[in-house]
Amino acid sequence: MQSSAHTADGAANLPRLAGHFASLEVQNHAARLGMWLFLATEILLFAGLFVCYGCYRFLYPEAWAAGSRSLDLTMGTVNTVVLITSSLTAALAVHYAKAGENKKVGVMFVLTLLMAVGFLVIKYFEYAHKFHIGTLPGRYYHYEGIQVTGIPLYFTVYFCSTALHAFHVIIGMAVLSVAMVRAFRKKDFGPNNYTMVELGSMYWHLVDLVWIFLFPMLYLV
Amino acid sequence: MTPSSSIDTAGAAPHDEHHDHHPSYLVDGTTIKSWILTVDHKRIGLMFLFFVLLFFLVGGIFALLIRLELLTPGPTIMDAMTYNRTFTLHGLVMIFLFMIPAIPAVFGNFMLPLMLGAKDVAFPRLNLASLYIYLTGAVFMLWGMLNGGLDTGWTFYTPYSTHTTTTVAPVMFGAFIIGFSSIATGINFIVTCHTMRAPGITWFKMPLFVWAIYATSCIQVLATPVIGLLTVLVAVENLFSFGMFDPARGGDPVLFQHLFWFYSHPAVYIMVLPAFGVMSEIVSTYSRKNIFGYRAVAYSSLGIAFVGFFAWGHHMFVSGQSTFDAGVFGVLTMLVGVFTAIKVFNWVGTVYKGAVDFKTPFAYFCGFLFFTVFGGMTGIALGTVSLDVAWHDTYFVVAHFHFIMVGATIMAFLAALHYWFPKMFGRTYHEGWGLVSAALIILGFNATFIPQFLLGNNGMPRRYYDYPERFQALNVASTAGATLLAFGFIIIAMYLTYSLVYGKVAGKNPWRSKGYEWLSESPPPTHNFVGPQPTFPEEPHFYVDPKKAEVPDAV
Ligand code: HEM
Ligand SMILES: [Cu+2]
């Protein structure tokens, strides 16, 4: 909102009120409501994949069992822990932003981002392994080890959903980086102005939440 | 609702440069940059209007090509492959680039904040972004269409779409991108309704157009992500053969149909609910009467939005669905008819004993009523499984959805264009020409699609390039109707363009309407209302005495 013509400048930590809103309270309410709606659409986006997962799991139970056994449970578990922890640091960032401790906000986001990178690195190793042995989607599947009907479809679902999730991780990292830079450089978060931190963290929780669905679906059951 | 002091001060905050004179949004900044980087919802609405009309022209030209090809059996002006591409492009352009954004993105954008007494939508920059996202998607689509085109039909049915070598992927990515624009607009409108209503506008004092846009936005937000995912999956599958919907690789094409219609059935209400909203405004303005059953009309929008999500299976009666499923979907489909009927009865109840002012928008209202009732009734008929099995994929279905979707939406779009023309541009159009072209269009529309009902009932399948001799007479009739329709549009284009420059200056409220949007200047200043934020003590469709409706004053 910083580019708006009407600004209620003043003491530091005071957010800017865009001219078309009645009050700051309303402005923050609008931002939060918009974010919730957006997150709902994101969940629905993944829901389409979950429907595909459910249908094909019903059609090819053996392939699903064999497929999920072939995944590396350790890497998956580590990744889950990493992502949940990163959600915690993101939540702490909001906590510090409310208290106006900008430096801590920045540090929390640095930690979150480091864990995000860690997540992607582990994912990279998992992908590389699959590329190597040939457990790939659709017509690219050429692994000799598992030969049940429907197994290429399992990997189609696996790659589509994890890739879409990884894409969200990357977007989330971009958002959090901006918030981090603002916390360090401008130090403008405070009790009245933490909407950006809050919304960024909300997005990050969504990324985490989706993974919490994907992990048991793909690795465990 | 008492206005709090913070609201008053914020409302009164002066615009820095234009403290005393308030230029209209049209002249407040005349550089190209002031348009393409504007965050003013009115300018964004106007830019949407420009592009939506452009794509309507493109889609219309394709429509005429289709009708020309079908004038005679066998090849007439093109070969079979070109025909397949032509009807696909027609459908895609009309649905994704015209119908879906037509009313919400143009008139919703322009009128919603005015009707809520707000200075803008909640997220002006997101609003501008949604225009550019839409254009990006359009570029992808058009690029794909020009570089090989595609022949799947606008429904992209698998497994054909995952195998055809035509340019499925870019077009589907285009549709995906446009979906984001639709979502962004939807989120923006929902949040605007929740947070930006002026003091005095409670939920049940919102104009019915706002209610309709609100319900539409809910559908947009809830349904579009699913088709977004689906377009990506099909595009990827077309490129890499992943097999998700390909029976040869164990995938299930019927799953595609389920997910597709889960969006696309509600999507038909994205196109038609705003039309219902426009008509609610128009019918009360030109009958000089408060709308009959305001709450029923408002709730039935939400009702349609809700049951619309459970009716998708009626597109799949012949897909091997169980009889039980078919029965359930049939009944759910008919529920939509109930909610639509509520609206129809309320509109008719509004006209009853009103002082009707038969202006061009009201002429469109009459056409609209006919198309909605007729299209809706054929919808009920199609929802009856046994009948649908006979009519499925014939011209009967084509006529049905053109009647309800295109007929109702076009009527509303043109009605809105005429009704709000003075508000948007400060000038009025020529009433005589307006009525003449309205008559032409309604006539042309009937002449185009009534023969198609008959064709379908006689068994002519849709999407075919060739047909037996015995269908020719009706096809010629349909093509003649389409030509009439085209003339109607040309006339409108001419006198509206003329009126932009030479039309009579309209004044604040030429229709003496009670709608809130008329409380502001015509055309409105950049921040919509001069002076402190207005409050709205009256109801939006409140006509005291139908015979002497007064001009409402701004309070
Ligand atoms: C209100 C706006 C409506 C719109 C915009 C609309 C639009 C459409 C469209 C586009 C199709 C064809 C889809 C295709 O390409 O296969 C269609 C088919 C159908 N519509 Fe509607 N429709 C509307 C209302 C209704 C209503 C009220 C009913 C029933 C109460 C209904 C029942 C059906 C049925 C059963 C079919 C499937 C026919 C078949 O494919 O065999 N529609 N509609
Ligand atoms: Cu439908």
Side-chain angles (χ1 to χ4, degrees):
Chain A
M1 306 290 153
Q2 62 271 38
S3 72
S4 170
H6 311 279
T7 48
D9 287 341
N13 283 345
L14 261 193
R16 284 158 246 259
L17 175 64
H20 60 290
F21 279 113
S23 69
L24 265 181
E25 219 174 294
V26 175
Q27 175 170 322
N28 291 341
H29 174 50
R32 224 170 283 137
L33 182 62
M35 192 65 187
W36 275 111
L37 284 168
F38 173 67
L39 295 186
T41 69
E42 290 278 44
I43 289 180
L44 284 162
L45 184 77
F46 280 97
L49 270 168
F50 294 163
V51 170
C52 294
Y53 172 93
C55 289
Y56 292 126
R57 184 188 161 81
F58 176 74
L59 283 178
Y60 307 107
E62 291 92 32
W64 250 242
S68 71
R69 254 181 279 116
S70 80
L71 299 188
D72 190 325
L73 194 55
T74 326
M75 286 200 185
T77 314
V78 171
N79 251 353
T80 309
V81 174
V82 167
L83 215 51
I84 293 181
T85 320
S86 73
S87 235
L88 175 69
T89 51
L92 283 173
V94 182
H95 173 75
Y96 289 127
K98 281 184 193 168
E101 303 185 62
N102 276 287
K103 203 162 153 222
K104 287 189 183 162
V105 174
V107 172
M108 283 304 135
F109 278 147
V110 170
L111 288 177
T112 312
L113 287 168
L114 282 177
M115 282 181 268
V117 173
F119 177 88
L120 288 179
V121 169
I122 296 179
K123 204 79 231 156
Y124 165 78
F125 282 120
E126 285 190 80
Y127 269 28
H129 179 65
K130 292 194 181 57
F131 277 84
H132 179 67
I133 63 170
T135 43
L136 287 170
R139 74 172 153 133
Y140 301 99
Y141 186 88
H142 60 262
Y143 180 57
E144 311 279 305
I146 317 173
Q147 294 291 358
V148 275
T149 34
I151 190 75
L153 215 51
Y154 175 81
F155 285 100
T156 301
V157 173
Y158 170 84
F159 272 100
C160 287
S161 40
T162 51
L164 189 65
H165 176 258
F167 180 68
H168 279 77
V169 170
I170 293 168
I171 305 252
M173 287 169 71
V175 173
L176 294 192
S177 305
V178 175
M180 176 196 75
V181 170
R182 280 190 51 182
F184 278 136
R185 294 257 294 278
K186 296 205 193 145
K187 304 200 187 310
D188 54 6
F189 298 125
N192 294 313
N193 183 23
Y194 57 89
T195 308
M196 170 162 194
V197 178
E198 190 184 9
L199 299 192
S201 297
M202 269 165 76
Y203 187 80
W204 194 253
H205 296 324
L206 171 93
V207 172
D208 185 31
L209 182 75
V210 169
W211 180 256
I212 289 173
F213 276 99
L214 286 179
F215 174 62
M217 275 168 54
L218 293 168
Y219 289 74
L220 296 180
V221 285
Chain B
M1 196 193 226
T2 48
S4 74
S5 60
S6 71
I7 290 178
D8 278 345
T9 39
H15 191 289
D16 310 324
E17 296 98 329
H18 318 287
H19 196 51
D20 329 297
H21 69 293
H22 294 264
S24 94
Y25 78 103
L26 284 171
V27 293
D28 187 9
T30 46
T31 57
I32 294 199
K33 202 174 141 212
S34 75
W35 278 88
I36 61 175
L37 293 182
T38 182
V39 287
D40 183 343
H41 65 101
K42 299 180 288 302
R43 286 192 166 196
I44 295 171
L46 224 55
M47 288 192 280
F48 260 116
L49 178 63
F50 175 80
F51 288 108
V52 154
L53 287 175
L54 183 74
F55 291 126
F56 184 60
L57 179 68
V58 174
I61 290 173
F62 282 123
L64 285 178
L65 291 175
I66 296 172
R67 279 320 318 165
L68 268 182
E69 170 51 44
L70 292 176
L71 194 60
T72 64
T76 309
I77 55 166
M78 57 180 89
D79 60 72
M81 190 58 181
T82 315
Y83 178 77
N84 291 346
R85 288 176 178 158
T86 310
F87 77 66
T88 305
L89 302 195
H90 163 71
L92 283 170
V93 170
M94 283 301 200
I95 301 249
F96 289 104
L97 299 179
F98 174 71
M99 304 269 282
I100 291 179
I103 297 178
V106 178
F107 300 107
N109 244 331
F110 200 106
M111 297 302 159
L112 197 85
L114 283 169
M115 288 180 163
L116 295 176
K119 292 183 170 184
D120 209 322
V121 291
F123 310 118
R125 282 187 288 166
L126 181 68
N127 201 14
L128 182 65
S130 87
L131 172 69
Y132 288 113
I133 298 171
Y134 163 78
L135 290 178
T136 314
V139 167
F140 264 92
M141 274 197 159
L142 293 176
W143 182 86
M145 292 175 185
L146 295 176
N147 285 273
L150 86 168
D151 56 352
T152 58
W154 79 275
T155 50
F156 306 113
Y157 266 15
T158 58
Y160 183 67
S161 58
T162 59
H163 281 99
T164 172
T165 51
T166 50
T167 50
V168 169
V171 174
M172 293 199 82
F173 277 127
F176 175 70
I177 294 169
I178 292 170
F180 271 103
S181 160
S182 187
I183 291 176
T185 310
I187 291 180
N188 219 336
F189 288 165
I190 294 179
V191 176
T192 306
C193 289
H194 276 270
T195 59
M196 317 263 313
R197 282 171 287 125
I201 304 189
T202 59
W203 279 95
F204 287 108
K205 277 195 188 174
M206 292 200 312
L208 285 168
F209 179 66
V210 177
W211 268 107
I213 293 287
Y214 181 78
T216 310
S217 302
C218 293
I219 308 180
Q220 277 174 309
V221 168
L222 291 176
T224 317
V226 179
I227 196 143
L229 176 86
L230 199 64
T231 49
V232 171
L233 288 182
V234 172
V236 169
E237 182 158 341
N238 184 272
L239 289 175
F240 303 118
S241 306
F242 277 7
M244 187 83 98
F245 304 114
D246 178 1
R249 296 186 190 282
D252 187 355
V254 176
L255 178 59
F256 172 86
Q257 290 190 21
H258 276 294
L259 291 172
F260 180 83
W261 286 112
F262 179 76
Y263 166 79
S264 295
H265 184 77
V268 303
Y269 303 110
I270 296 179
M271 303 171 216
V272 84
L273 270 180
F276 291 174
V278 169
M279 286 308 170
S280 301
E281 298 292 322
I282 281 173
V283 77
S284 98
T285 295
Y286 292 98
S287 309
R288 306 250 155 264
K289 258 181 78 189
N290 196 349
I291 190 98
F292 183 85
Y294 168 92
R295 284 198 184 215
V297 178
Y299 279 132
S300 61
S301 288
L302 293 180
I304 290 176
F306 183 72
V307 294
F309 275 99
F310 302 99
W312 81 89
H314 63 221
H315 296 273
M316 301 171 64
F317 286 155
V318 299
S319 71
Q321 201 172 48
S322 75
T323 323
F324 177 74
D325 292 353
V328 170
F329 277 124
V331 171
L332 289 170
T333 300
M334 294 185 188
L335 278 183
V336 180
V338 175
F339 286 109
T340 314
I342 292 176
K343 284 181 184 293
V344 171
F345 288 129
N346 282 298
W347 291 321
V348 175
T350 307
V351 180
Y352 179 68
K353 288 195 175 165
V356 172
D357 191 6
F358 204 95
K359 293 270 166 39
T360 309
F362 197 81
Y364 285 116
F365 167 74
C366 297
F368 164 86
L369 210 58
F370 176 70
F371 292 135
T372 306
V373 171
F374 205 93
M377 304 268 256
T378 53
I380 302 283
L382 282 168
T384 312
V385 183
S386 49
L387 294 175
D388 182 72
V389 170
W391 281 327
H392 181 79
D393 268 347
T394 67
Y395 264 85
F396 193 92
V397 172
V398 177
H400 152 70
F401 73 73
H402 276 88
F403 248 66
I404 186 94
M405 180 162 81
V406 186
T409 308
I410 296 277
M411 289 300 115
F413 183 76
L414 292 175
L417 198 58
H418 287 83
Y419 176 57
W420 281 314
F421 192 87
K423 177 92 295 188
M424 297 169 85
F425 304 107
R427 292 177 185 274
T428 48
Y429 59 90
H430 190 285
E431 199 59 62
W433 282 114
L435 287 171
V436 167
S437 55
L440 260 185
I441 289 204
I442 293 169
L443 219 74
F445 205 91
N446 280 307
T448 312
F449 293 106
I450 287 178
Q452 295 190 13
F453 276 117
L454 302 174
L455 279 169
N457 200 39
N458 292 342
M460 177 162 164
R462 67 194 281 210
R463 294 180 173 166
Y464 273 55
Y465 162 70
D466 194 3
Y467 55 81
E469 205 70 60
R470 69 192 164 92
F471 291 137
Q472 194 179 353
L474 286 168
N475 270 303
V476 171
S478 182
T479 304
T483 317
L484 214 58
L485 205 52
F487 271 116
F489 283 115
I490 292 173
I491 296 178
I492 296 179
M494 292 202 312
Y495 71 71
L496 282 190
T497 319
Y498 178 86
S499 308
L500 273 184
V501 190
Y502 303 105
K504 208 165 80 211
V505 173
K508 206 169 179 180
N509 188 355
W511 311 123
R512 298 184 299 143
S513 165
K514 291 273 188 174
Y516 297 152
E517 74 275 27
W518 300 99
L519 293 174
S520 126
E521 308 301 312
S522 308
T526 301
H527 288 295
N528 292 350
F529 298 94
V530 180
Q533 187 177 25
T535 51
F536 296 89
E538 276 192 353
E539 281 168 34
H541 312 282
F542 191 75
Y543 296 92
V544 189
D545 174 352
K547 303 285 180 208
K548 349 175 242 207
E550 317 122 85
V551 183
D553 337 317
V555 178

